[in-house]
Amino acid sequence: MKRTLLIALAIFTLALATARAQEPVKTIAERLGYPRDTKLLIVHADDLGMTHSVNRATMQALKTGLVNSGSIMVPCPWLSEIAEYARTNPQADLGLHLTLTSEWTNLRWGPVSSKDRVSSLISPDGYFYLTETEAAEHADPKQVEIEIMAQIEKARALGIQPTHLDSHMGTLYQNKELFEVFLRVARSQKLPVRVSRADFPPELLAQGDAYIDRVLTITPAVAPQDWAKFYSDALSKLEPGVTEAVIHLAYDDAEMQGATFNHPNWGAAWRQRDLDFFTSEAFRKLLQENQIKLITWRELGKLIK
Amino acid sequence: MKRTLLIALAIFTLALATARAQEPVKTIAERLGYPRDTKLLIVHADDLGMTHSVNRATMQALKTGLVNSGSIMVPCPWLSEIAEYARTNPQADLGLHLTLTSEWTNLRWGPVSSKDRVSSLISPDGYFYLTETEAAEHADPKQVEIEIMAQIEKARALGIQPTHLDSHMGTLYQNKELFEVFLRVARSQKLPVRVSRADFPPELLAQGDAYIDRVLTITPAVAPQDWAKFYSDALSKLEPGVTEAVIHLAYDDAEMQGATFNHPNWGAAWRQRDLDFFTSEAFRKLLQENQIKLITWRELGKLIK
């Protein structure tokens, strides 16, 4: 009898597991109220606050409605300009591009916190480290939490109501400890984060959080003349679910050229190409032809209780 | 006998004092080895490091030799670019424009020191105060000394060998306590300072220091179309001794327009006018016609033992 019971229990458990596996988990699109096969896109400009050129280009792009989201670097010199924009455009979908690196050799920035409190984030030259690798290597996770909380508090003090959080140069994805700080802070703030199901193993992602399905971003492998083709192809093949197009906008002007002079990747001309494509009629047409619907982080944020 | 002695002593003392009064005090020009009536001019660009536009315009102007000096704002975002220039042009006459204000509403900066240590210098928005009046009103002189020493140390760590010190927006001239900190730091660093005999009572000026005789600087009262006339008149009437022409250089470009959008005084177009005049052949001719000799702060610094 003992044996029969065990077999029965095993069969029951198996049946239950199968039933659960068959019951489809709701996709993000469905949780947002869209049919499962809807193609949803956030067109998101990074690095707001870095320079006047970035700010001006992004404000121009947001006006078209084709670029519909962006995130702000609180430690950067031109923060006040974009904070003013955020205050006068409270409907704009603006998040915080949490910043722990200062990557341009001629134009530097450092922490919002008092330096003594976040010494592990500061390179010998007194600014944030130049690369995400160095930053992650030296960063004390406790000090990272202090600094990113300080960035959030400063943004709120300036009247920015962030709709989401992401991580400049991906520093907060560099190791498990930093990633945990990132998610903990996001949960404490009830804000969605740039974490895509395509890039992270499911066991890291908690049920209550809101994620995107994938990130679409151009890479240095694409030649300048192939810029429009790369994006057109990607949009034509866009899969259902939530995609975030992570783009970088600025003018190819003296200021941006000065900042990025030794780094053509994500440089001035790169950003002008992104600006040109994502504010073009060609892009608007691609959205229509491929039945792509634009959504914002604000909508995703509503999934968080 | 006692009385006779006293009278003799009095006569002797009086004679000595008269002799001293008649012996002419050496002028700065004479201390520098020039005849007393020589017209000496430093053509000095302020605000280096503030923006790429300021840096680029000043580097262009220094190349002409007509602008021959400048001072650097260590807390500003583009410091690294001008520090690189200083390292590769060690002959350049570059000083430090000690900075305790952050006056442009869209483009802000704060202290080099850890914020906890210089809290009296920081406005509620987390940056330096917008005006020299507010800065001076709140500044604890001890914290001012900490901060300006930190600026000097940071400059030296970046390979800048400052030839002189001056004070951005004149904050360090706002009250006696701050002025004393300024002079004490300058003496400890054995550096000459922008203190003109025309502006300060002699009792404030110690013998061992090196000063200039006067500052020549344009004001908002001059209409844009009268820019060249103002400078031409001033140079034609230049008095003997050491004059420092304090000028502000930048291009009238998008970055400068963005920074100074709500403040035409010392704004983008203002700085372009200064750049145009001080790199012109007309200015070169005025120097020749009026027998004006350019000197640098480096020369003045040699007077300090």
Side-chain angles (χ1 to χ4, degrees):
Chain A
M1 188 185 157
K2 210 176 177 185
R3 203 179 155 203
T4 319
L5 191 69
L6 272 176
I7 288 169
L9 196 69
I11 288 169
F12 175 76
T13 310
L14 191 68
L16 198 71
T18 311
R20 273 202 189 137
Q22 280 167 348
E23 180 192 315
V25 174
K26 271 196 174 179
T27 63
I28 309 170
E30 286 169 319
R31 289 172 64 199
L32 290 168
Y34 296 100
R36 197 178 179 90
D37 61 349
T38 318
K39 298 175 194 171
L40 299 165
L41 184 67
I42 304 170
V43 186
H44 186 280
D46 279 15
D47 299 354
L48 280 62
M50 173 194 166
T51 59
H52 180 56
S53 185
V54 166
N55 285 353
R56 214 161 44 96
T58 307
M59 292 186 280
Q60 180 205 320
L62 288 169
K63 224 173 184 173
T64 66
L66 292 168
V67 174
N68 68 346
S69 188
S71 57
I72 298 171
M73 297 172 75
V74 177
C76 283
W78 290 82
L79 168 69
S80 298
E81 179 176 59
I82 202 71
E84 163 73 15
Y85 176 85
R87 285 192 299 273
T88 51
N89 295 273
Q91 82 295 346
D93 189 50
L94 297 173
L96 301 183
H97 202 47
L98 300 171
T99 301
L100 299 169
T101 47
S102 168
E103 71 274 26
W104 308 104
T105 48
N106 274 354
L107 170 64
R108 305 296 304 274
W109 48 76
V112 166
S113 324
S114 196
K115 287 180 187 170
D116 288 346
R117 300 190 66 206
V118 293
S119 54
S120 72
L121 309 183
I122 300 173
S123 76
D125 59 24
Y127 303 105
F128 283 139
Y129 284 96
L130 285 161
T131 67
E132 67 278 33
T133 322
E134 289 167 288
E137 195 184 312
H138 293 90
D140 171 346
K142 282 198 203 85
Q143 296 186 358
V144 168
E145 190 152 349
I146 289 171
E147 174 59 18
I148 67 181
M149 280 307 302
Q151 293 182 13
I152 294 168
E153 281 159 19
K154 178 163 184 177
R156 292 199 196 275
L158 283 170
I160 300 168
Q161 304 293 341
T163 60
H164 62 289
L165 299 176
D166 46 44
S167 169
H168 182 55
M169 295 172 69
T171 307
L172 294 169
Y173 310 110
Q174 293 293 308
N175 64 48
K176 197 164 171 284
E177 289 71 27
L178 297 185
F179 190 64
E180 281 169 357
V181 169
F182 184 34
L183 290 188
R184 184 164 63 244
V185 167
R187 281 172 197 145
S188 79
Q189 299 289 314
K190 298 194 186 301
L191 288 175
V193 288
R194 179 183 293 164
V195 170
S196 84
R197 292 188 186 279
D199 296 331
F200 291 89
E203 61 268 22
L204 274 180
L205 309 182
Q207 270 299 335
D209 292 335
Y211 306 111
I212 50 176
D213 290 301
R214 69 196 72 82
V215 163
L216 164 63
T217 196
I218 205 161
T219 69
V222 180
Q225 66 272 18
D226 296 333
W227 223 251
K229 187 182 180 309
F230 169 87
Y231 285 126
S232 304
D233 288 354
L235 293 167
S236 305
K237 290 183 227 154
L238 199 73
E239 288 178 62
V242 180
T243 304
E244 184 181 20
V246 171
I247 65 176
H248 299 85
L249 306 181
Y251 298 106
D252 186 11
D253 64 5
E255 181 192 20
M256 272 323 276
Q257 288 164 8
T260 66
F261 76 101
N262 56 355
H263 203 291
N265 295 338
W266 295 275
W270 173 304
R271 290 166 192 248
Q272 179 77 57
R273 290 194 296 274
D274 265 6
L275 177 64
D276 291 345
F277 181 81
F278 283 97
T279 57
S280 70
E281 279 310 302
F283 173 52
R284 193 186 295 275
K285 223 170 141 192
L286 277 161
L287 293 177
Q288 287 162 353
E289 286 171 357
N290 295 286
Q291 287 145 347
I292 297 167
K293 189 177 158 40
L294 296 189
I295 61 160
T296 63
W297 277 105
R298 197 183 298 281
E299 286 188 60
L300 282 167
K302 289 183 186 151
L303 299 182
I304 300 176
K305 280 116 209 161
Chain B
M1 188 187 158
K2 212 175 173 185
R3 202 179 156 205
T4 321
L5 191 67
L6 273 175
I7 290 170
L9 197 66
I11 290 170
F12 175 76
T13 310
L14 191 68
L16 198 69
T18 312
R20 272 201 190 135
Q22 281 168 347
E23 180 191 315
V25 174
K26 272 194 173 182
T27 63
I28 309 170
E30 287 171 317
R31 288 172 65 199
L32 290 167
Y34 297 100
R36 198 177 177 93
D37 62 349
T38 317
K39 299 175 192 171
L40 299 165
L41 183 68
I42 305 171
V43 186
H44 186 279
D46 278 16
D47 298 355
L48 279 62
M50 172 195 166
T51 59
H52 181 56
S53 185
V54 166
N55 285 354
R56 214 161 44 97
T58 308
M59 292 187 278
Q60 179 205 319
L62 288 169
K63 225 173 183 174
T64 66
L66 291 169
V67 173
N68 69 345
S69 188
S71 58
I72 299 171
M73 297 173 74
V74 177
C76 284
W78 290 82
L79 168 69
S80 297
E81 179 176 59
I82 203 70
E84 163 73 15
Y85 176 85
R87 285 193 299 272
T88 50
N89 295 273
Q91 82 296 345
D93 189 50
L94 297 173
L96 301 183
H97 201 48
L98 300 170
T99 301
L100 299 169
T101 47
S102 168
E103 70 274 28
W104 308 104
T105 47
N106 274 352
L107 169 64
R108 306 294 306 272
W109 48 78
V112 166
S113 323
S114 196
K115 288 179 187 168
D116 288 346
R117 301 191 67 207
V118 293
S119 54
S120 72
L121 309 183
I122 301 175
S123 77
D125 59 23
Y127 303 105
F128 284 139
Y129 284 95
L130 284 161
T131 67
E132 67 277 32
T133 322
E134 289 167 287
E137 195 183 311
H138 293 90
D140 170 347
K142 283 199 202 85
Q143 296 186 358
V144 168
E145 187 153 351
I146 289 172
E147 174 58 18
I148 67 181
M149 281 306 302
Q151 293 183 13
I152 295 168
E153 280 159 19
K154 178 163 183 175
R156 291 199 196 276
L158 283 169
I160 299 167
Q161 304 294 339
T163 61
H164 63 289
L165 299 177
D166 47 44
S167 169
H168 182 54
M169 295 171 69
T171 308
L172 294 169
Y173 310 109
Q174 293 294 308
N175 64 49
K176 197 165 170 281
E177 289 71 26
L178 298 184
F179 190 63
E180 281 169 356
V181 169
F182 183 34
L183 290 187
R184 185 164 61 246
V185 167
R187 282 172 197 144
S188 79
Q189 299 290 314
K190 298 192 183 305
L191 289 174
V193 288
R194 180 184 293 165
V195 170
S196 84
R197 292 189 185 277
D199 298 330
F200 293 89
E203 61 270 22
L204 273 179
L205 310 181
Q207 270 299 334
D209 291 336
Y211 307 111
I212 50 176
D213 290 300
R214 70 197 70 83
V215 164
L216 164 63
T217 197
I218 206 160
T219 70
V222 180
Q225 65 272 18
D226 296 332
W227 223 251
K229 188 182 178 310
F230 170 87
Y231 285 127
S232 303
D233 287 353
L235 292 167
S236 304
K237 291 182 228 153
L238 200 72
E239 289 178 62
V242 180
T243 304
E244 184 182 21
V246 172
I247 64 175
H248 299 84
L249 306 181
Y251 298 105
D252 185 10
D253 63 6
E255 180 192 21
M256 273 323 277
Q257 288 164 8
T260 67
F261 76 102
N262 55 356
H263 202 291
N265 295 339
W266 295 275
W270 173 303
R271 290 167 192 247
Q272 179 77 56
R273 289 195 296 274
D274 265 6
L275 177 64
D276 291 345
F277 179 81
F278 283 97
T279 57
S280 70
E281 279 310 303
F283 174 52
R284 193 186 295 276
K285 223 170 141 192
L286 278 161
L287 293 178
Q288 286 162 355
E289 286 170 358
N290 295 286
Q291 286 145 347
I292 297 166
K293 188 177 158 39
L294 296 188
I295 61 159
T296 63
W297 278 105
R298 198 184 297 282
E299 285 188 60
L300 281 166
K302 288 183 187 151
L303 299 182
I304 301 175
K305 279 113 210 163

